[in-house]
Amino acid sequence: MMRIGFFDSGLGGLMILKAARQMLPRHDFVYFGDTLHLPYGGRSNDAIYDYTQAAAEYLFRSEDCALIIVACNTASAAALRRLQQGWLAEYFPDRRILGVVIPTLEVTIEKNCRRAGLLATERLVQSQIYQIELQKLNPEIQIFAAAAPLLVPLIENDGGRWLPEVLKHYLSPLLAENIDALILGCTHYPFLRPYLRDLLPEGFPVLSQDEIIPGKLADYLARHPEIDEKISRNGLTKYLVTDITSNYTKTAAEIYGASLDLEKVVL
Ligand code: DGL
């Protein structure tokens, strides 16, 4: 039987995986965090493509995934289309790779946002992927993006006490544009929700992918029984990383809310 793969550049995707496990508690998952190459946010498209392809190949060949969720926004922007249209079609035509940008935009539209703020990595903001995809779905919605290169290193390295100051700095140009919602366009950013509560007006809509992706995945599986029926249901999850340090083990436990048995893979 096969599994659902969750790919991220590091450990932030664990928050989305955790929420997906809660929604689909019987399905079997494999998490793959490319901690050796983290952060992706400042890397070139070619490097991100190569890393993502290597991880996908491992998840398909060695872990027998029927479907991979590229939970990393940066990899969704830099590699997803190219992987889906070339490599996947040629080598694994019966498997699927899905990203996180379109589902997030669908929710932005459902919530009637008109001026959405987007907080993301540098590479993601440069890619303009949210604006490009939104043009196809609803060109009337505007996106105001802010690159926030310090957030991932702070989250991955226990830098919580500096987050309010840094967040305030990144949010202020977005708030000056009168945004009516904030998209958290990075796997690590659900971690910011408690900090954002103090920095945004009460009730301000924050679109966080740990609240978006699990439901979209469940919908996808309901619409694609030919994929869903291949996935085993033992309620098991494996946690793979490409590098382990004591700091990663600690961060994984903090992000996930429980200690995890991280396994190192060599590609
Ligand atoms: N996981 C990446 C994302 O969702 C960001 C972290 C990184 O820079 O590697 O965009």
Side-chain angles (χ1 to χ4, degrees):
M1 287 299 272
M2 303 177 91
R3 288 180 279 191
I4 302 172
F6 255 77
F7 170 69
D8 187 30
S9 58
L11 302 169
L14 287 168
M15 283 175 277
I16 303 181
L17 171 79
K18 185 178 182 180
R21 288 194 64 190
Q22 278 159 0
M23 181 147 296
L24 300 163
R26 294 179 53 234
H27 286 68
D28 291 342
F29 292 91
V30 188
Y31 184 84
F32 187 116
D34 191 9
T35 46
L36 183 63
H37 300 118
L38 175 95
Y40 280 13
R43 294 195 185 274
S44 68
N45 280 350
D46 282 347
I48 296 167
Y49 177 84
D50 290 345
Y51 298 151
T52 309
Q53 194 215 69
E57 181 146 6
Y58 186 87
L59 285 170
F60 285 150
R61 282 198 203 288
S62 304
E63 297 296 332
D64 220 10
C65 288
L67 164 74
I68 296 172
I69 308 295
V70 175
C72 179
N73 287 258
T74 308
S76 292
L80 186 64
R81 278 254 191 274
R82 212 170 130 196
L83 277 176
Q84 286 169 329
Q85 288 168 358
W87 180 78
L88 187 71
E90 190 172 345
Y91 297 104
F92 299 97
D94 58 334
R95 317 279 182 106
R96 296 291 174 267
I97 305 184
L98 305 174
V100 289
V101 173
I102 307 277
T104 304
L105 285 172
E106 285 169 358
V107 171
T108 310
I109 294 166
E110 285 158 23
K111 293 209 178 282
N112 286 319
C113 303
R114 281 284 160 266
R115 299 170 69 80
L118 170 69
L119 208 54
T121 64
E122 216 155 2
R123 170 69 50 233
L124 186 107
V125 170
Q126 277 166 8
S127 77
Q128 302 243 339
I129 183 105
Y130 275 83
Q131 291 89 332
I132 293 166
E133 296 297 337
L134 193 55
Q135 269 301 314
K136 301 175 201 161
L137 299 170
N138 184 339
E140 276 163 29
I141 303 174
Q142 280 182 279
I143 299 253
F144 300 89
L150 291 175
L151 294 178
V152 169
L154 284 177
I155 295 167
E156 291 267 346
N157 294 289
D158 206 11
R161 69 186 149 118
W162 290 283
L163 279 172
E165 193 70 20
V166 171
L167 264 176
K168 206 188 279 177
H169 165 75
Y170 289 135
L171 284 176
S172 71
L174 297 180
L175 293 172
E177 293 289 356
N178 279 324
I179 57 168
D180 55 13
L182 179 67
I183 299 172
L184 302 183
C186 174
T187 44
H188 290 66
Y189 296 176
F191 190 82
L192 303 174
R193 281 201 279 145
Y195 299 90
L196 287 167
R197 230 173 277 136
D198 296 335
L199 296 168
L200 293 169
E202 196 167 330
F204 194 86
V206 174
L207 310 189
S208 184
Q209 289 169 337
D210 61 328
E211 297 177 326
I212 295 173
I213 302 306
K216 294 285 182 185
L217 171 61
D219 277 0
Y220 179 87
L221 292 174
R223 282 184 287 108
H224 294 274
E226 76 287 0
I227 302 281
D228 193 33
E229 67 202 14
K230 288 183 190 162
I231 295 161
S232 54
R233 285 154 164 85
N234 303 301
L236 296 175
T237 303
K238 235 175 147 172
Y239 301 92
L240 308 178
V241 288
T242 46
D243 191 24
I244 300 189
T245 62
S246 53
N247 194 39
Y248 285 143
T249 309
K250 189 168 155 246
T251 304
E254 253 168 42
I255 285 180
Y256 196 80
S259 71
L260 298 175
D261 208 356
L262 300 180
E263 228 177 276
K264 182 176 164 172
V265 291
V266 180
L267 297 185

